Amino acid sequence: MYQWRKFEFFEEKYAAKCAIPEDDDVDVTVKNEDKKIECCSSGRGKVVTGFDDGTVCLFDRGLKFNYAFQPHSSSVLFLQQLKQRNFLVTIGEDEQLTPQQSALCLKVFDLDKMQSEGSSTSSPDCVGILRIFTNQFPEAKITSFLVLEEVPPILLIAIGLDNGSIYCIKGDIARERITRFKLQVENHSDKTLSSITGLGFRVDGQSLQLFAVTPSSVSLFSLHDQPPRRQTLDQIGCGVNSVAMSDRSELIIGRPEAVYFYEVDGRGPCWAFEGEKKLLGWFRGYLLCVIADQRTGKHTFNIYDLKNRLIAHSVSVKEVSHMLYEWGNIILIMTDKSALCIGEKDMESKLDMLFKKNLYTVAINLVQTQQADAAATSEVLRKYADHLYSKQDYDEAMAQYIHTIGHLEPSYVIQKFLDAQRIYNLTNYLEKLHEKGLASKDHTTLLLNCYTKLKDVEKLNLFIKSEDSIGELKFDVETAIRVCRAANYHEHAMYVAKKAGRHEWYLKILLEDLGRYEEALEYISSLEPSQAGMTIKEYGKILIEHKPLETIQILIRLCTEDGDKRGHSNGVYVSMLPSPVDFLSIFVHHPQSLMDFLEKYTNKVKDSPAQVEIHNTLLELYISNELNFPSISQVNEGGDYLNVASAKTVNLSAQSNGTISDNKSSEEEKNRLKRREKGLRLLKSAWPPEMEHPLYDVDLAIILCEMNAFKDGLLYLYEKMKLYKEVIACYMQAHDHEGLIACCKRLGDSVKGGDPSLWADLLKYFGELGEDCSKEVKEVLTYIERDDILPPIIVLQTLSRNPCLTLSVIKDYIARKLEQESKMIEEDRQAIEKYQEDTLAMRKEIQDLRTNARIFQLSKCTTCTFTLDLPAVHFMCMHSFHLRCLGDNEKECPECAPEYRSVLEMKRNLEQNSKDQDRFFQQVKNSKDGFSVIAEYFGKGIISKTSNGSTSSLRSGSASSNSGF
C-alpha cells in the first residue's frame, strides 16, 4: 500500500476548522466545557449532535447553530436523523420512575412541528415514546443503533446489545402499532467478544437483510424469512466505529491489519491498510479511514480511491470522535468539539493537477470511475493521445484517439496521420470510424484509398464483404463504388452495388468497365419489373448494340408479363405494365431492332393502351424509303407533323444530292418492298370496317405516304376517308388512265353510295390533258350519258379545251343527245297544246256561268235517287238534292266537295312550300336538271312575280287565285 500515490483531490472547507457553538441556555448549572458529545447524525441539510446532559443541538450549513432542545433528562446515547421524513429518533436516559423500569427510552420527534415550552423556548413535537426494555426483552447495555425507513410511517429499528442480542422494533411508533422481535448472534464465553459493535441494513428488492458485527464474528440475518435466518459470514470482527456500509450495500469492517468487505455470500475483497482503524466510513465511492499510528500515537485521516488505487487525500488530525456526511462534505468532529470539513475538488481541478504531472492514465481512470460525461472523458483521452504522439508513440496514441471517436472531430486525428509512414495507424482509425457508423463520404474514400495503396485485398474484402457493413450503412455506398472503380477493383465495386441494391452502378460496371453484356442481361432479368424497366431505359442503348435479341426478349417479358401468360388480357391490367413507347429511345441507332420489338409486342398484345403510338411508329418504319429511327411519329400529341416532315424532307433531299439513287442494292430494295407490304397490311388491319376511326394517326399516315411516295397506302387512306377526289387525283398525277377510269367506276356509282361528280372531274381532266385520249373520253361519256351527269353544252365546253380531240369523239354522243332533246321538246309541245285547250274550255264555262241562265233538269236526288220534290236544292255543278238529304251542309255539293277540298289543300300546300327556301334549294341541288325544278315552281304558281313587299305579293297571289277559281 505504500506504493499508492497520494493526491490532494479534497480540500478543507469553511475556513479550515470550525468549532461547534455551545448553547448556554440549556442548563446553566452545567458548564460548556463539561459537555460531552455522545452521538451525531446528519441529513436533510443539517447536522444533529447529542450531549451527555440530554441536550440535542441542530446546525445548518457551515455548522451554524440553529437551535437546541432537551429530549431526555439525563443523557442522549444515540440519535439518527431520518431522510424521507423530517423525523429525529433518539435513545437516551430519563428519570427512573420505578426500580423495575429501565431509564432508557426511545423517542421520535417531528422537527417540522414546534411547540413552545416557555416564553422564549420551543422544541419539536414528540410524536412517540417507547420503552426499549420489557419483561420479554431484558435490559442490557446498548452498543449500536440503526434505523431503516421502510414505507412511511413504518420504521425498522435495530438495537445492538453487549450480550450479543439485537432488539428489533418494527411499525408505526407514533400510533404504537409495533412488533418486537429478537435476534441472537453466536454466544461467546467472553462477554466482551459478543458485544454488537456494528449494524448494517441491506435492501435488495423485496429482500431485507441485516449485517451484525461483533469483535469475533460477522453475521447476516435474513429478515424476510420467518423466523429470521442467521448466517455466519466470518469468524473475525472489529470494534466500535469501525463498521460502515458502501453504496453497493457491502459491509465494511476495519481491523488493524486490513479493511474487509463482505457480500451476502461471505468475505469479499481485502485491502491491507495497516494501523488501528479508529473510524471507518464510505463517501461517494471513497473509503474513509481514521488510522492511529501505534508508534507515534498520531491520527491520520485518509481518503482511498480503491478503483484507481490511489490516496485521494491524507491529513493529520486530532482524535476524532464522529464522522458525518452532509452538504457534499465530510465532517470530522473531534473529541475537543472542533470540526474539520473536507470537500472534494471539482473534476477540472483534479484533472489539471494530473495533467501537470503527465499522469494521463490516472486521469482517464478517474473520469471513468467518477462517471463523468463522455465529452470530458474524450478530452482527457485526447490530451493523453497528444502526449503519446509528441513522444512518437504512434501506436498507443492511435489507440487513445480511437476511444475519442464520436466526440473528437475525425479531421483532427486524420491530419496528424496523413504521413505515408503512418498509413497503418490511419487505416485502423478509419476502420473504427466506419464500425461506429460515423464515417462520412470523405472518410470512406480515404480508407479505401489506404487499402488500395497498401494493396491489402484481404482487409478490403473484410471491409466490403462483411455481413453487417452494408446492412447498417457503415460507409457510403456510392463513394465506395466510385473509389473501387477508380482503383480497378471492379469485383468489389460490383459486390457493394449488388448488396446495397444500387442496380444502376452494378450495370454501369458490367457494361462500361467489363463489357459483360450477357451477365448484365441476366442480372436485369432477376430484378423486379419496375427496377428492370428503369435500368433498361438507362443502359438499353449499349445492350441493343451488342445483344439485341436478348434485350428484346427481356423487354417483351417486361411489357407482356413473361409473354407466355398474355393474350387478350383485360385493359386495366395492361395499363399497369410498362409501355413499349417508354423504351423507344434505346433503339435510336437500331431501327431494325425497334421494328422487331414492336412487331413481337403487337403479335402478343392486341389491346395495349399505347396501340396508336406503337402503330404510328411501325408505320413510319414500314413506309420510309430508308430504315431510320422514326422521328415524325415521335412528335408529342398535338405536335406539328408537317413541320417535322418538311424538315426531314429537306434533309433527305440534301443527302440525295450527293448520292446516286440507283446505287441501292437489290437487297435493300427487297427489304423496302417487304416493309411496304407490312405497312399496307397494318393500314388495313388497324382500321377494321366496324371502326369509325383507325388505331393510328390518319394525318401522320397520310404525311408518311406522301413523303415516301407510297401510292397504295395513300389510295387506301383516301378511299377509307371518302376523299374520292383525292383518290382520282392520285391516278391523274400518275397518268394512270386505265386505273383512273376503273376507280371512277368503283367510286362514282351513286347506287352503291359513290360520287357521280367524279365523272365530271374525270372529263375535265381529259379536257385539259393536251393529248389524244379519244378512247377514254368515249368511255367516260358513256357513263355521263347513262347517269345524265352533265348537260351536253358543258361537255362540249370542257372537251373543247383539248386540241387533240376531234369532233368525231363526241359525234355520236351529241347526236343521241339532240335526238333525246328533240323527243322531249315534242312531248312538251303536245302537253302545252293540251293544257291550252283545257284552259280555253274552262274559261268558256266560267263565262257561260256568269252570263247565261242555268237550267236544272234532274228529276232525281243525287244522294237518294228518289224523285225530287220540294224543298230541293240545286247546285251550279248540275247536282240536285232533297233538302233533307243535305242535312246541315247545304252550302256545298256533297259530290263535288271532296275534289274541291283537295284542290284547296294542294293550293295551301304550295303556298306553304313557297316559304320553305331550304327545301327549294335542296330540290334544285339534288335534281339532275335544276332548271326543270324552277320551271315547275313557276308553273305551279309557287313563285310569283316580284313585288314591292311580301304582303302585297301575298295579296296579289290571293286575288289571282280567287279570280282564277
Side-chain angles (χ1 to χ4, degrees):
M1 293 303 174
Y2 292 108
Q3 298 177 356
W4 283 23
R5 291 173 173 160
K6 291 184 180 181
F7 299 95
E8 292 299 324
F9 289 164
F10 287 77
E11 59 184 353
E12 296 180 0
K13 302 285 187 179
Y14 310 129
K17 297 180 180 180
C18 301
I20 297 179
E22 297 177 352
D23 187 3
D24 295 334
D25 297 331
V26 176
D27 190 352
V28 296
T29 61
V30 181
K31 293 184 178 179
N32 291 335
E33 58 271 14
D34 294 335
K35 291 182 180 181
K36 180 182 177 184
I37 299 176
E38 292 288 347
C39 52
C40 292
S41 182
S42 63
R44 300 182 69 89
K46 53 183 169 288
V47 172
V48 184
T49 59
F51 293 87
D52 57 357
D53 61 350
T55 304
V56 171
C57 294
L58 287 85
F59 300 88
D60 291 333
R61 179 179 288 274
L63 293 177
K64 295 180 180 179
F65 177 75
N66 188 352
Y67 68 91
F69 69 98
Q70 188 165 3
H72 299 280
S73 59
S74 179
S75 175
V76 180
L77 300 179
F78 298 94
L79 59 80
Q80 183 171 335
Q81 170 70 47
L82 303 185
K83 301 291 192 296
Q84 297 183 20
R85 293 177 294 169
N86 196 13
F87 280 13
L88 180 66
V89 182
T90 64
I91 293 179
E93 295 181 359
D94 285 314
E95 295 180 357
Q96 191 172 6
L97 300 178
T98 62
Q100 292 79 16
Q101 290 183 343
S102 172
L104 294 176
C105 65
L106 182 145
K107 294 183 179 182
V108 180
F109 295 91
D110 187 352
L111 301 183
D112 291 332
K113 297 179 181 179
M114 305 295 290
Q115 60 181 2
S116 61
E117 294 182 346
S119 58
S120 60
T121 60
S122 60
S123 63
D125 184 14
C126 181
V127 297
I129 301 177
L130 187 66
R131 292 291 175 178
I132 298 174
F133 302 111
T134 62
N135 293 332
Q136 290 81 13
F137 298 92
E139 183 176 359
K141 183 179 179 182
I142 299 175
T143 56
S144 59
F145 169 71
L146 187 62
V147 180
L148 174 66
E149 297 179 83
E150 294 190 356
V151 180
I154 305 301
L155 300 178
L156 177 57
I157 302 173
I159 302 172
L161 307 177
D162 62 351
N163 58 8
S165 299
I166 302 173
Y167 289 171
C168 295
I169 303 172
K170 182 177 182 180
D172 186 358
I173 297 177
R175 298 183 180 181
E176 297 183 357
R177 297 178 181 176
I178 61 173
T179 57
R180 296 172 183 255
F181 58 92
K182 177 182 176 182
L183 304 175
Q184 182 67 47
V185 298
E186 292 182 356
N187 291 323
H188 200 276
S189 58
D190 188 353
K191 187 178 180 180
T192 59
L193 299 179
S194 299
S195 175
I196 304 298
T197 56
L199 298 170
F201 282 111
R202 175 188 173 91
V203 181
D204 185 8
Q206 299 296 326
S207 175
L208 177 60
Q209 295 167 316
L210 175 65
F211 287 102
V213 182
T214 67
S216 60
S217 67
V218 176
S219 302
L220 177 67
F221 294 92
S222 298
L223 301 182
H224 54 276
D225 294 335
Q226 293 298 330
R229 180 172 54 86
R230 182 178 64 84
Q231 175 185 358
T232 301
L233 301 180
D234 205 347
Q235 294 297 332
I236 60 172
C238 66
V240 181
N241 294 331
S242 297
V243 179
M245 293 293 293
S246 72
D247 49 12
R248 295 198 301 265
S249 297
E250 298 171 307
L251 178 69
I252 309 171
I253 66 171
R255 294 178 58 83
E257 71 278 5
V259 175
Y260 299 92
F261 284 72
Y262 289 89
E263 297 277 356
V264 293
D265 53 353
R267 185 192 294 180
C270 169
W271 303 91
F273 302 131
E274 294 183 354
E276 183 182 358
K277 313 303 184 295
K278 292 293 184 179
L279 279 171
L280 205 64
W282 187 267
F283 176 75
R284 294 181 177 177
Y286 293 101
L287 176 64
L288 312 180
C289 289
V290 177
I291 301 176
D293 191 339
Q294 297 177 354
R295 292 173 296 179
T296 62
K298 293 182 178 179
H299 290 189
T300 304
F301 175 60
N302 290 336
I303 301 177
Y304 297 99
D305 185 348
L306 302 181
K307 290 183 179 180
N308 297 315
R309 295 178 178 270
L310 57 85
I311 300 175
H313 187 68
S314 181
V315 61
S316 297
V317 294
K318 301 177 184 178
E319 185 177 355
V320 182
S321 61
H322 300 89
M323 186 188 302
L324 303 173
Y325 325 106
E326 193 62 32
W327 312 305
N329 298 326
I330 303 169
I331 304 172
L332 302 178
I333 299 178
M334 313 302 177
T335 55
D336 61 356
K337 292 183 285 187
S338 64
L340 178 62
C341 298
I342 300 174
E344 187 176 8
K345 294 181 180 179
D346 59 85
M347 180 62 71
E348 186 176 356
S349 301
K350 292 189 285 186
L351 292 177
D352 288 341
M353 184 188 310
L354 295 173
F355 292 154
K356 291 177 181 178
K357 298 179 180 181
N358 291 332
L359 299 175
Y360 294 99
T361 55
V362 178
I364 293 171
N365 294 332
L366 182 64
V367 295
Q368 291 175 348
T369 55
Q370 294 285 327
Q371 297 180 350
D373 61 342
T377 305
S378 176
E379 181 63 19
V380 175
L381 291 170
R382 182 194 65 80
K383 291 185 177 182
Y384 182 34
D386 291 345
H387 173 69
L388 294 172
Y389 186 86
S390 63
K391 294 171 63 177
Q392 298 185 354
D393 189 355
Y394 300 113
D395 295 338
E396 187 61 30
M398 179 52 72
Q400 301 305 320
Y401 280 129
I402 288 174
H403 292 307
T404 66
I405 292 177
H407 303 282
L408 181 62
E409 177 61 36
S411 59
Y412 177 84
V413 181
I414 294 172
Q415 190 173 5
K416 288 179 174 288
F417 289 85
L418 277 178
D419 186 9
Q421 297 179 353
R422 308 270 70 82
I423 192 170
Y424 292 99
N425 301 118
L426 181 59
T427 303
N428 187 22
Y429 180 80
L430 292 172
E431 287 174 348
K432 300 298 181 181
L433 204 61
H434 282 80
E435 287 179 7
K436 296 186 177 182
L438 299 174
S440 65
K441 296 180 181 180
D442 296 331
H443 298 151
T444 303
T445 304
L446 186 57
L447 177 59
L448 293 174
N449 284 330
C450 290
Y451 286 149
T452 55
K453 287 186 178 180
L454 293 173
K455 300 188 182 302
D456 194 344
V457 180
E458 183 178 351
K459 278 197 172 183
L460 183 60
N461 289 336
L462 185 63
F463 178 75
I464 293 294
K465 299 183 179 181
S466 60
E467 292 298 327
D468 58 345
S469 61
I470 299 178
E472 297 180 2
L473 297 176
K474 289 187 176 179
F475 58 81
D476 183 75
V477 174
E478 187 170 342
T479 302
I481 296 172
R482 180 170 44 80
V483 175
C484 289
R485 282 188 72 195
N488 292 326
Y489 286 91
H490 297 115
E491 295 297 332
H492 295 82
M494 288 169 56
Y495 179 87
V496 175
K498 186 174 183 179
K499 195 167 184 180
R502 303 297 290 271
H503 312 299
E504 68 280 4
W505 279 102
Y506 187 87
L507 292 171
K508 184 178 290 187
I509 298 168
L510 276 177
L511 298 174
E512 297 179 2
D513 298 339
L514 304 178
R516 286 147 56 174
Y517 306 107
E518 293 182 357
E519 186 177 344
L521 288 170
E522 292 177 0
Y523 183 77
I524 292 174
S525 300
S526 65
L527 298 178
E528 293 292 329
S530 59
Q531 296 175 339
M534 293 176 60
T535 53
I536 287 188
K537 287 179 185 178
E538 187 170 358
Y539 302 105
K541 293 180 182 179
I542 302 176
L543 293 172
I544 284 293
E545 182 178 355
H546 295 88
K547 297 289 180 180
L549 296 179
E550 294 82 352
T551 307
I552 290 174
Q553 289 178 358
I554 293 178
L555 287 174
I556 292 296
R557 283 201 300 271
L558 282 177
C559 298
T560 63
E561 195 207 8
D562 295 332
D564 55 346
K565 300 179 182 178
R566 291 299 309 270
H568 296 278
S569 59
N570 62 71
V572 177
Y573 184 77
V574 175
S575 63
M576 298 171 61
L577 295 173
S579 172
V581 180
D582 299 335
F583 303 103
L584 295 184
S585 60
I586 69 176
F587 297 94
V588 64
H589 300 302
H590 304 277
Q592 181 64 47
S593 298
L594 174 59
M595 188 168 66
D596 296 341
F597 167 55
L598 294 180
E599 286 176 349
K600 291 180 180 179
Y601 178 80
T602 52
N603 291 335
K604 291 182 178 296
V605 181
K606 305 298 183 182
D607 53 356
S608 172
Q611 271 184 321
V612 175
E613 293 83 353
I614 294 172
H615 289 161
N616 290 343
T617 306
L618 279 174
L619 284 175
E620 186 168 357
L621 291 169
Y622 288 153
I623 297 174
S624 299
N625 290 324
E626 295 182 2
L627 186 58
N628 295 317
F629 183 76
S631 58
I632 302 176
S633 61
Q634 300 307 307
V635 179
N636 294 331
E637 289 187 13
D640 192 350
Y641 289 132
L642 293 176
N643 289 339
V644 179
S646 60
K648 187 171 182 179
T649 304
V650 172
N651 187 28
L652 290 174
S653 62
Q655 292 178 358
S656 63
N657 291 335
T659 59
I660 302 175
S661 59
D662 295 337
N663 290 338
K664 293 183 179 180
S665 65
S666 59
E667 187 69 25
E668 291 178 350
E669 184 64 20
K670 288 181 181 179
N671 291 335
R672 187 180 69 85
L673 294 176
K674 189 176 180 180
R675 285 190 285 109
R676 289 288 177 90
E677 292 176 2
K678 291 181 179 179
L680 185 58
R681 283 200 301 269
L682 179 60
L683 287 174
K684 294 179 178 180
S685 62
W687 197 344
E690 65 274 6
M691 294 183 64
E692 183 179 357
H693 300 288
L695 297 175
Y696 50 81
D697 192 319
V698 178
D699 296 335
L700 172 66
I702 292 175
I703 292 173
L704 291 172
C705 291
E706 288 182 347
M707 283 179 56
N708 298 280
F710 185 31
K711 178 182 175 183
D712 294 340
L714 201 60
L715 291 175
Y716 174 77
L717 290 173
Y718 284 153
E719 188 171 339
K720 286 290 289 185
M721 298 171 68
K722 299 187 183 303
L723 300 175
Y724 300 140
K725 294 186 183 299
E726 282 73 5
V727 174
I728 64 173
C730 291
Y731 286 104
M732 292 175 183
Q733 187 176 2
H735 296 284
D736 184 2
H737 297 167
E738 184 177 352
L740 185 60
I741 294 174
C743 178
C744 286
K745 289 179 181 179
R746 188 176 72 256
L747 303 179
D749 191 353
S750 60
V751 178
K752 297 181 181 179
D755 186 5
S757 64
L758 295 178
W759 293 107
D761 295 337
L762 186 56
L763 185 67
K764 183 180 178 182
Y765 165 73
F766 286 126
E768 298 176 352
L769 186 59
E771 62 183 46
D772 189 9
C773 50
S774 304
K775 180 181 177 182
E776 291 83 356
V777 171
K778 287 181 180 180
E779 188 173 358
V780 171
L781 288 176
T782 302
Y783 289 98
I784 291 177
E785 181 182 0
R786 185 192 70 180
D787 297 334
D788 197 15
I789 298 172
L790 291 174
I793 188 65
I794 300 299
V795 174
L796 286 172
Q797 290 176 352
T798 302
L799 295 178
S800 65
R801 299 170 186 170
N802 189 342
C804 298
L805 293 177
T806 61
L807 187 62
S808 61
V809 176
I810 59 173
K811 177 180 177 182
D812 295 338
Y813 167 75
I814 294 298
R816 288 192 299 273
K817 275 295 181 180
L818 288 175
E819 182 180 356
Q820 184 180 359
E821 292 291 337
S822 299
K823 189 183 294 184
M824 290 177 61
I825 290 172
E826 181 62 25
E827 291 176 354
D828 290 342
R829 186 183 61 77
Q830 294 176 1
I832 291 171
E833 290 178 354
K834 181 177 179 297
Y835 290 148
Q836 286 177 348
E837 291 175 358
D838 292 343
T839 302
L840 289 175
M842 289 180 184
R843 286 178 179 175
K844 183 177 180 182
E845 184 179 357
I846 292 171
Q847 183 66 26
D848 188 27
L849 289 173
R850 287 178 176 176
T851 57
N852 298 327
R854 198 76 166 171
I855 299 173
F856 299 99
Q857 296 179 350
L858 285 178
S859 59
K860 292 182 180 181
C861 175
T862 305
T863 301
C864 63
T865 67
F866 289 105
T867 304
L868 280 174
D869 55 2
L870 297 177
V873 178
H874 302 278
F875 290 95
M876 300 299 289
C877 59
M878 301 308 292
H879 292 131
S880 301
F881 301 90
H882 293 111
L883 181 60
R884 64 178 179 274
C885 291
L886 290 176
D888 297 334
N889 191 13
E890 58 182 16
K891 293 184 178 181
E892 59 182 9
C893 173
E895 292 293 328
C896 300
E899 182 180 357
Y900 178 65
R901 288 196 193 98
S902 64
V903 173
L904 290 178
E905 183 67 25
M906 187 182 300
K907 181 180 178 183
R908 192 181 303 111
N909 290 338
L910 291 173
E911 291 177 352
Q912 184 69 28
N913 291 339
S914 67
K915 300 176 182 179
D916 190 357
Q917 300 179 6
D918 294 338
R919 182 179 178 185
F920 168 73
F921 288 112
Q922 186 66 30
Q923 289 180 355
V924 173
K925 181 179 179 181
N926 295 336
S927 174
K928 295 180 180 179
D929 186 5
F931 180 77
S932 60
V933 176
I934 299 174
E936 182 182 359
Y937 267 70
F938 271 106
K940 293 178 179 180
I942 297 177
I943 301 178
S944 58
K945 294 181 180 180
T946 304
S947 61
N948 295 331
S950 60
T951 304
S952 61
S953 174
L954 290 173
R955 289 176 181 175
S956 62
S958 176
S960 64
S961 299
N962 292 334
S963 62
F965 178 78

